[in-house]
Amino acid sequence: MKVAVQAGMHRKDVASRSIASKVGSAALYIALSVIAILQIIPLVWLLFFSLKDSREIFDLPPLALPRHPKWENYSDVWSAGNIDRYFLNSVFITAVSIVLTILLASFVTYAVTRMKWKLSSAVLGLFMIGLMIPVHSTLIPLFSFYQKLHLIDTPVSVILSYTAFNLPITIMIMLGFYTVLPREVEEAAIMDGCSVNRLFFQIIVPMTVSVVMTAAIINMIYNWNEFIFVNTFISSDSMKTLTVGVQNFVGQYQTNWGAIGATLMISIMPILIVFLLLSNRIVEGIAAGSVKG
Amino acid sequence: MDKVMSNKRIIALYVLPSIILIMAIIYIPIVLTGYYGLMRWNGIGSMEFIGFDNYSALLKDDKFWDSVMHSLVFALLSTVTLALYLIVALVLTGNIKGANLFRKIYLLPMLLSSVAIAQLWLKVYHPTTGILNTLLVSLGFSDPPAWLSDPKYVLGALFVPILWQYAGFYILIYYAALKNIPNTLVEAALIDGATPRQIAIRIKLPLIMEVIKVTIVLAVVGSLKYFDLIFVMTGGGPNGHSEVMASYMYRQAFKAFDFGYGSAIGFFLLIICLVATWVIRKLTETKDPIQYS
C-alpha cells in the first residue's frame, strides 16, 4: 500500500516535471530560433532591397517583398560599375593565393609532423606566433617594401601578403590531420626505396585531399573578404578586388539603394554558395583553425 | 627509415621557402615598424632620424589615447559577450534537435566580408530610411537618433554588427569543445543526481577552460586590431568618437602621410596585442589543467 502510494506520487512528480521540461524546451527552441532569425534578417532585407527600385524601397515597409523584382539592378551594376572586372580580379587573386598557401603549408606541415629534426617545434612555433601579429603593424613597412620592388599596384603584392598571413592558420588546420597519418604507409614506401619527394607527392598529398579541401575553403573565405591589403597596395581601379571595388562603387551611388544592394549581393554570392554546399567543411575548418587540438 | 626521414636537404627544401616568406612579410616588417617610428618620413622622400620624438608625441596625443580607450571598450564588450555565446552553446549541446543547423545559421554572418557587413549595417542605421529607425517610428518613437553620427551612441551602434558578425564563431568553438567532453562523465554525474545546471557549471565549464581562455585572447586581440568595419562605417567619426588604434594608424600614415608617426602607432598596436595576450594567459593560468583524455 505504502509502496503503491509512493509509486503514484512518483508518477505525478515525473508527469509535472515532464510538462515543465516541455515548456522549458519550447522556450529554448524559441530563443534559439529568435537568434537564428536575427542572424538572417539583415541578409533577407538586403536581398529584398537589391530587387526593388528606389520608390519601392522608400514606400513599402522594409521587409515587404518586392512587387516586381528588378533583376535589372544586377545586370546594370555588373557591367556599369566595373563589377565584372573586380569579380575576375578577386577570383584570380583568391585562386593563386590558395594554391600557393596550400602547397607551402603542406610542405611545412609534412616536414614538421613526419620528419625528424631538431628545430621542428621551434619552426612550428615561429609559424604559430604569426597568428598573433596584427596585420596593421606590418602595413607601412610592407607598403614601402613593395614600392621598392615595384610591386605596388600589382596582384603580386596582394598574393604574397595573403599567402604569408594565411600560412599559420592553414598549417594549424592541417596539423591534426598530418599527425594521425599512419606510419606504416611511409615505412613501406621507404622500404621499397621511394624517395621522400615521391612519397610526399604521390602518397601523402593524395591522402590529405580532405583536409586540403577544408583549408582551401577557409582560405577562400579569408582572401575573398580581405580589405586592407588591397585597399593599401592597389590604387588603379582595374586591379581592385570585389571587396574593395564594392566599397568605391557604393560610395558613388549613395542614394541608389537598389544598385547598392545588388552589388553587395554579388559580392557575397560566392561565399553564400560555398556556405550552402559545404557548410560542414567550413565548420570543421574554423573549429580546427581557431583552437589547437 | 629514420635516416631518410631526417634528410636535411629535403627538410630545408620543404620549410625554407615558407620561412623566408613569413620573415619577409611578417617578422621583418614588425621590426621595421618600430624602427620607422624613429624617423620623420612622408613615405616617399628620405627618412630623417628623430629619436623617440614620435613615441613621446604619441604618449601625449589625446586623440591616440581616445582611440586606445575605444579599442579597449570593444575588447571589454567582446569579452563580456563571450558568456552569452557560452550559454547558447551549452543549450545547443543539450538535447536540441537541429543543433547543427542552428550553429550553421549563426555562423553565416562571420563568413561575409566586413565591408559588405558594414555597408549593409550603414543601411540598417540610416537615420530616415534604415530598417531600425523605420521600425522605431512605427513603434511610436517620433525622433529616433542618427545612430552613427551621434557621439553618445556610435560605439554601441558599431558593436552591434560586431556582435552579429562574430557570435556564430564563438558559439561554434564552444559547441565543438563541449561536444568533445566524454559522455561518460556527464552520465556519471546524472546518476549521482546532479542537475543540468550543476553539470554545466561544475563539470562542463572546468573541462573546457582551456578553450575559454583561447577565446578570451581571440576576443581581446581581435578587438584591439579591429579595423575594416569601423573604417567603412564611420571612418572613426563623428569627430574621432569611434576612432580605434588601427584606424588612427591608417589615417596618420596613408591620409596625413606621416609614415613615421603611423609606424609608431603600428608598433604600439603590436606591443599592446602581445602584452594583452601575455597578461590574459598569466591571469587565467591554472596550476593543474584538468585533463580528461
Side-chain angles (χ1 to χ4, degrees), chain A residues 131-132 290-291, chain B residues 70-86 110 159 162-163 165-167 169-171 173-174 210-227 230 244-245 269 272-273 276-277 280-281:
Chain A
L131 288 167
M132 297 292 171
S290 51
V291 185
Chain B
H70 299 151
S71 293
L72 289 175
V73 168
F74 284 128
L76 185 69
L77 289 174
S78 303
T79 310
V80 171
T81 46
L82 289 177
L84 292 179
Y85 308 145
L86 191 52
M110 195 237 165
F159 187 67
I162 296 177
L163 186 94
Q165 186 177 12
Y166 287 103
F169 171 68
Y170 291 108
I171 292 172
I173 294 176
Y174 290 143
E210 280 307 308
V211 172
I212 294 177
K213 288 177 197 170
V214 173
T215 55
I216 295 175
V217 172
L218 286 176
V220 170
V221 175
S223 304
L224 293 178
K225 54 189 191 188
Y226 218 68
F227 176 80
I230 294 161
V244 290
M245 279 186 279
L269 173 64
I272 205 170
C273 283
T277 307
I280 296 166
R281 280 277 159 202

Side-chain angles (χ1 to χ4, degrees), chain B residues 2-80:
Chain B
D2 280 359
K3 207 175 139 211
V4 184
M5 294 306 275
S6 50
N7 181 332
K8 293 238 159 54
R9 209 176 54 85
I10 300 249
I11 292 170
L13 193 70
Y14 281 19
V15 265
L16 274 182
S18 297
I19 291 182
I20 292 169
L21 186 70
I22 62 162
M23 279 297 168
I25 307 289
I26 302 180
Y27 288 105
I28 294 174
I30 57 174
V31 176
L32 281 178
T33 292
Y35 170 72
Y36 291 164
L38 305 170
M39 303 287 161
R40 178 178 294 132
W41 182 35
N42 63 8
I44 306 153
S46 56
M47 293 183 204
E48 181 197 340
F49 182 79
I50 53 167
F52 286 96
D53 283 9
N54 282 327
Y55 290 99
S56 60
L58 190 62
L59 295 178
K60 284 181 240 141
D61 183 346
D62 288 343
K63 288 207 150 173
F64 171 69
W65 287 109
D66 282 347
S67 78
V68 174
M69 277 313 292
H70 299 151
S71 293
L72 289 175
V73 168
F74 284 128
L76 185 69
L77 289 174
S78 303
T79 310
V80 171

Side-chain angles (χ1 to χ4, degrees), chain A residues 29 32 126 137 197 225 247, chain B residues 14 27 33 97 106 111 119:
Chain A
Y29 277 103
L32 292 173
L126 187 70
S137 302
N197 279 326
N225 291 339
Q247 172 63 11
Chain B
Y14 281 19
Y27 288 105
T33 292
K97 286 199 190 76
Y106 298 165
L111 309 177
Q119 287 295 348

Side-chain angles (χ1 to χ4, degrees), chain A residues 37-252:
Chain A
I37 291 169
L38 287 173
Q39 293 298 87
I40 295 283
I41 248 183
L43 296 172
V44 173
W45 181 54
L46 169 65
L47 173 68
F48 285 179
F49 81 68
S50 77
L51 291 171
K52 291 176 181 176
D53 59 27
S54 292
R55 230 192 33 236
E56 274 189 315
I57 290 168
F58 300 124
D59 292 351
L60 294 177
L63 283 173
L65 278 165
R67 264 189 230 118
H68 311 284
K70 278 194 56 146
W71 296 104
E72 312 86 278
N73 284 345
Y74 285 77
S75 49
D76 289 351
V77 296
W78 179 256
S79 47
N82 236 351
I83 300 294
D84 48 354
R85 179 72 212 225
Y86 300 148
F87 196 94
L88 287 179
N89 290 342
S90 273
V91 170
F92 173 74
I93 287 177
T94 301
V96 175
S97 309
I98 291 176
V99 172
L100 264 177
T101 311
I102 299 271
L103 188 69
L104 289 175
S106 298
F107 279 140
V108 173
T109 316
Y110 185 73
V112 166
T113 56
R114 314 301 294 186
M115 301 188 71
K116 290 198 174 59
W117 43 301
K118 263 192 235 135
L119 289 173
S120 74
S121 58
V123 165
L124 182 61
L126 187 70
F127 283 98
M128 290 302 119
I129 292 170
L131 288 167
M132 297 292 171
I133 308 292
V135 166
H136 297 87
S137 302
T138 65
L139 214 51
I140 293 170
L142 278 181
F143 182 79
S144 102
F145 172 67
Y146 290 137
Q147 217 169 25
K148 281 183 195 126
L149 297 178
H150 301 286
L151 292 174
I152 281 294
D153 213 16
T154 69
V156 180
S157 61
V158 177
I159 290 169
L160 283 177
S161 311
Y162 286 4
T163 306
F165 273 95
N166 284 344
L167 266 178
I169 194 155
T170 309
I171 292 172
M172 200 159 159
I173 291 172
M174 293 182 153
L175 218 49
F177 199 92
Y178 268 86
T179 35
V180 298
L181 287 177
R183 276 266 173 228
E184 293 78 14
V185 182
E186 284 166 304
E187 274 162 14
I190 302 284
M191 291 290 214
D192 290 348
C194 180
S195 74
V196 178
N197 279 326
R198 252 190 71 200
L199 168 67
F200 177 71
F201 282 107
Q202 296 195 342
I203 299 170
I204 300 295
V205 169
M207 285 165 76
T208 61
V209 169
S210 161
V211 77
V212 162
M213 279 282 288
T214 305
I217 291 163
I218 298 300
N219 268 282
M220 178 227 157
I221 294 171
Y222 281 11
N223 295 343
W224 189 267
N225 291 339
E226 203 282 332
F227 174 71
I228 187 70
F229 283 138
V230 180
N231 197 50
T232 311
F233 301 150
I234 303 285
S235 51
S236 29
D237 202 46
S238 63
M239 299 277 192
K240 282 182 176 144
T241 59
L242 195 52
T243 300
V244 174
V246 160
Q247 172 63 11
N248 297 353
F249 178 79
V250 168
Q252 295 161 22

